[in-house]
């Protein structure tokens, strides 16, 4: 899982720097709403995850959880927080 998150975060960081026109990730960094666009997506995806869990839909739970992780990583990148900081915080909670 570490490799997957690191690779995804690297892509997010690259999109933030290069801002390809056809990239959804890049569009989040340049959205007219600013970081509110990502915050809204996190709220939307959280609600969808709760509903999937309520319905006990395993496939949809995995899908929505992945959406949350992706948008969370985008937010962390926006705020200049890297995976090492996130990992340190999680380790401190063990």
């Amino acid at each position: 899982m570490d490799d997957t998150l690191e690779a995804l975060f690297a892509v997010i960081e690259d999109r933030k720097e290069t801002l390809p026109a056809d990239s959804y990730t890049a569009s989040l960094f340049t959205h007219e709403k600013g970081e509110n666009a990502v915050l809204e997506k996190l709220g939307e995806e959280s609600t969808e995850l709760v509903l999937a869990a309520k319905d006990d839909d395993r496939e949809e739970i995995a899908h929505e959880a992945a959406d949350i992780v992706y948008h969370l990583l985008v937010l962390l990148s926006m705020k200049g927080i890297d995976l090492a900081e996130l990992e340190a915080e999680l380790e401190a909670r063990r």
Side-chain angles (χ1 to χ4, degrees):
M1 181 71 143
D2 284 348
D3 291 342
T4 301
L5 288 179
E6 288 175 13
L8 177 56
F9 195 71
V11 169
I12 290 168
E13 291 281 275
D14 178 69
R15 298 296 194 271
K16 180 171 74 172
E17 294 300 317
T18 61
L19 298 174
D22 62 343
S23 167
Y24 172 71
T25 302
S27 75
L28 292 171
F29 287 103
T30 60
H31 199 283
E32 63 188 19
K33 290 183 178 181
E35 73 181 36
N36 282 345
V38 174
L39 297 174
E40 289 172 11
K41 286 301 291 182
L42 278 168
E44 172 189 323
E45 301 301 345
S46 295
T47 299
E48 291 173 0
L49 176 61
V50 168
L51 294 174
K54 180 182 167 295
D55 293 342
D56 202 25
D57 184 339
R58 292 179 57 83
E59 185 176 319
E60 196 63 18
I61 291 169
H63 177 84
E64 298 304 339
D67 283 347
I68 288 172
V69 170
Y70 163 77
H71 287 94
L72 174 62
L73 293 178
V74 171
L75 179 64
L76 293 177
S77 178
M78 283 181 165
K79 295 297 189 178
I81 298 172
D82 62 25
L83 289 181
E85 290 176 80
L86 175 62
E87 184 177 15
E89 180 61 30
L90 291 171
E91 285 290 328
R93 295 177 182 207
R94 288 177 79 176

